[in-house]
Every structure is written in C-alpha cells, then in structure tokens.
Amino acid sequence: MAAPITRAVGAAALALTLVVTPLTAQGARAGDGVRFSVFSGGISPIGFAIEFFRNTHALEIGVGTWSFDELAISTVYKKYIGGDTARPFAGAGLWVTTVSPPEERRGYAVVLRAPIGLDWSFIENHSIGTALNLNRGLWVRRSNPEDDSPLNGRIVPLPELYYRYTP
C-alpha cells in the first residue's frame, strides 16, 4: 500500500517540478532567479529551502527535521502579490514526512499545505518573512502497526519564520 502512495507523491512532485522549473526565487526585483533559505517552523523546527521564481510565481522545495529520526520534505507553489519590498503571498503544496522508530516499522504522512505570509526584502538580495501554514493530513501510515486510528481531518496551523538570500 505504501509503495503506490509513495510513487504517486513522487510522480506529482516531479511533474510539478518539471512544469514549474522554468520559473526559476522572487526577490526585490522582478524577473527570474533562485533564493536559498533557512527556516524555523512550518514543516520542522529547523530546515533549508530553495525557491525558484519568475516574477510573481515561485516553487519552493524545503527539507527539515524534528529530531533527526525523521525527514520532512515539502514542495509548495506560491503566488506573490503586489509591491517590491514587502510582498504578501499564498500557496499550496504537499508535505511528506517519514519516521523510523528503533523497534517499529517506518511511518509516513502526506499533508496538504497552504502557506499564507509576507516576504520583506529589506536589503538587496536579502529577505525575511513569516508564514502561517495551514495543514491538513491526507494519508498516514503509523509506525505502530496496531494503531489504525483514522486521521481527524482538522486543519492545523503552524507558524514559520525564514531568512532568504538571492545570490
């Protein structure tokens, strides 16, 4: 069961990447580019991301961890609105996480992610920002094989702060 879901998520992420790759991160000026970032919150307490952008559209790929026993990967498509220095944004994407406890099977979760935030380019090539990520679980395989409780379906808000650099 996990293999078809994993393949489907991988295929969707690859398709989104191929479709959006020409979009190369949005900075203080319009155009194409890439930004590198470090973040806290959202998919993990600490993580790194790369954002490819074209004018007001961007694709962000983030990787983080909660406790080094698991891995969290997120792909989000974003739309920046207005302004040059302070730009609100909204987006949607997927967050996939996996955990491998020492004595149980590997657990997986697929989460729908919708960030809403504000990006501020305070100096050329440097930005800081904040986002409120609205998350809803889509699928889970718990590490305890006897735990078959269903997802509760609620939306979980997770805040995020980040710093981005445009080379």
Side-chain angles (χ1 to χ4, degrees):
M1 178 73 177
I5 297 285
T6 304
R7 279 188 237 136
V9 169
L14 178 61
L16 183 60
T17 301
L18 293 175
V19 167
V20 183
T21 295
L23 299 176
T24 319
Q26 163 282 353
R29 37 187 204 283
D32 299 346
V34 63
R35 296 195 302 175
F36 300 95
S37 68
V38 60
F39 61 85
S40 179
I43 67 169
S44 66
I46 187 72
F48 302 94
I50 184 169
E51 182 184 56
F52 302 95
F53 71 90
R54 173 179 280 169
N55 294 322
T56 60
H57 301 276
L59 173 69
E60 177 185 284
I61 301 168
V63 177
T65 186
W66 286 88
S67 62
F68 298 102
D69 289 335
E70 83 335 304
L71 179 66
I73 301 171
S74 173
T75 301
V76 176
Y77 177 78
K78 296 192 279 187
K79 168 78 172 154
Y80 287 89
I81 304 157
D84 261 347
T85 58
R87 299 176 83 167
F89 65 86
L94 290 177
W95 166 18
V96 179
T97 190
T98 181
V99 63
S100 183
E103 298 183 19
E104 299 190 48
R105 70 181 181 175
R106 180 171 291 280
Y108 297 95
V110 177
V111 178
L112 179 63
R113 209 173 159 226
I116 301 167
L118 181 67
D119 187 84
W120 180 45
S121 182
F122 59 97
I123 299 174
E124 187 175 345
N125 299 336
H126 300 274
S127 299
I128 58 173
T130 185
L132 181 62
N133 294 282
L134 305 174
N135 303 290
R136 184 177 188 285
L138 299 176
W139 178 81
V140 67
R141 176 184 155 186
R142 301 181 195 282
S143 57
N144 179 351
E146 295 177 14
D147 183 359
D148 61 352
S149 54
L151 292 170
N152 66 16
R154 69 184 177 128
I155 294 176
V156 178
L158 294 173
E160 177 181 340
L161 295 172
Y162 63 81
Y163 163 77
R164 295 215 167 115
Y165 172 72
T166 307

